[in-house]
Amino acid sequence: FFVMAFPLFGSDVPYAEPAWYRGQQSTYYTQSHVDFRAKMRNFVNEHLLPNINEWEEACVTQGHEVPAKKLAKAAVEAGVYAPSAPAELGGTPPEGGFDAFHDLIWVDEIGRGGASGPTT
């Protein structure tokens, strides 16, 4: 087996992050996953976290929805829009293709906002 280890990432709280974020080696987690995680984390930090509470409040109190077109455009530009879809269908798959680890990273990072709106 060829096993890669990557720099530590994320929280120091026990079990708060997947094992491979905390330096445990994996035969499946590759540089493509590290790069995709960085893209997703940057996108969430820049576009979701600063706005999510306002969007959720507007949805509950006024029936407004997340500004989907603006958010989709930003996701395309960040390279994280529909990453499981091929580029021919408008997706922005990671270099080397999309697999279950990329999906886990996508869900994990989107979920950090604590709101359901952006995932639907």
Side-chain angles (χ1 to χ4, degrees):
F1 285 101
F2 179 69
V3 179
M4 298 182 76
F6 298 99
L8 298 182
F9 175 80
S11 174
D12 289 331
V13 175
Y15 307 107
E17 303 283 4
W20 52 90
Y21 282 13
R22 301 306 309 146
Q24 292 184 11
Q25 297 178 340
S26 171
T27 56
Y28 307 105
Y29 190 75
T30 68
Q31 188 63 45
S32 173
H33 301 106
V34 172
D35 296 343
F36 185 66
R37 181 194 67 215
K39 281 184 180 182
M40 282 300 303
R41 177 115 341 181
N42 289 338
F43 175 76
V44 169
N45 286 345
E46 185 176 334
H47 298 284
L48 293 184
L49 294 181
N51 302 302
I52 200 70
N53 290 332
E54 178 185 327
W55 292 340
E56 288 282 307
E57 181 70 23
C59 179
V60 171
T61 61
Q62 303 163 19
H64 293 181
E65 296 184 12
V66 171
K69 288 184 181 181
K70 179 181 176 184
L71 196 55
K73 182 179 180 190
V76 168
E77 291 170 359
V80 298
Y81 180 77
S84 62
E88 304 83 54
L89 297 178
T92 55
E95 185 75 29
F98 187 84
D99 63 23
F101 277 83
H102 291 102
D103 189 44
L104 177 63
I105 292 164
W106 192 89
V107 169
D108 190 39
E109 291 297 328
I110 292 288
R112 285 189 315 111
S116 62
T119 62
T120 56

